Amino acid sequence: MSPNLAYDIYAQNNVGVESPAKLVEMMYEGVLRFNAQAKKAIKDENIEKRAYWINRSIAVITELLATLNYEAGDVSAYLEGLYTYQIKLLSEANLENDLKRIDIVNNVFKGLLEAWRETNGLA
């Protein structure tokens, strides 16, 4: 078994036992981690890695969009617009090698992560 395959299986099993609140926290953290890698790739002028890491961030945000619970009230509609705008910013950052747009997304997700941890007792 290759090391990557073993890690993938471990990661899938680990995610399977986490609470929904913890999973959202992990997704927010993932966006921040992937954006850090994208920023490094931009600074290193590595187009392939830039696109890879930004696409990973967009995939996580897309998953967050797909899991919104619209029965929870207005917050879901707000998050839908916020997440959609973050995807737009990341797409533009990818096209234009724009660190500032990634920083904007990072600031949003840092705020979301902090609020999520406080709301769900994960801090």
Side-chain angles (χ1 to χ4, degrees), residues 64-123:
L64 285 164
L65 272 167
T67 60
L68 286 174
N69 177 6
Y70 290 95
E71 295 175 10
D74 293 339
V75 70
S76 295
Y78 171 78
L79 287 172
E80 179 183 21
L82 185 66
Y83 292 158
T84 301
Y85 185 66
Q86 302 316 298
I87 290 171
K88 177 181 183 282
L89 288 173
L90 287 172
S91 297
E92 292 170 352
N94 197 16
L95 290 172
E96 300 175 20
N97 281 324
D98 190 345
L99 294 171
K100 290 179 185 177
R101 287 187 176 115
I102 294 175
D103 287 336
I104 292 168
V105 174
N106 283 345
N107 287 335
V108 167
F109 274 89
K110 285 175 187 173
L112 287 169
L113 179 59
E114 183 180 321
W116 186 258
R117 285 177 174 161
E118 288 175 14
T119 302
N120 292 284
L122 299 169

Side-chain angles (χ1 to χ4, degrees), residues 36-50:
Q37 292 295 326
K39 285 180 66 171
K40 181 182 181 317
I42 289 172
K43 291 175 184 173
D44 294 344
E45 299 180 7
N46 188 326
I47 297 167
E48 184 178 331
K49 285 187 178 183
R50 177 201 71 215

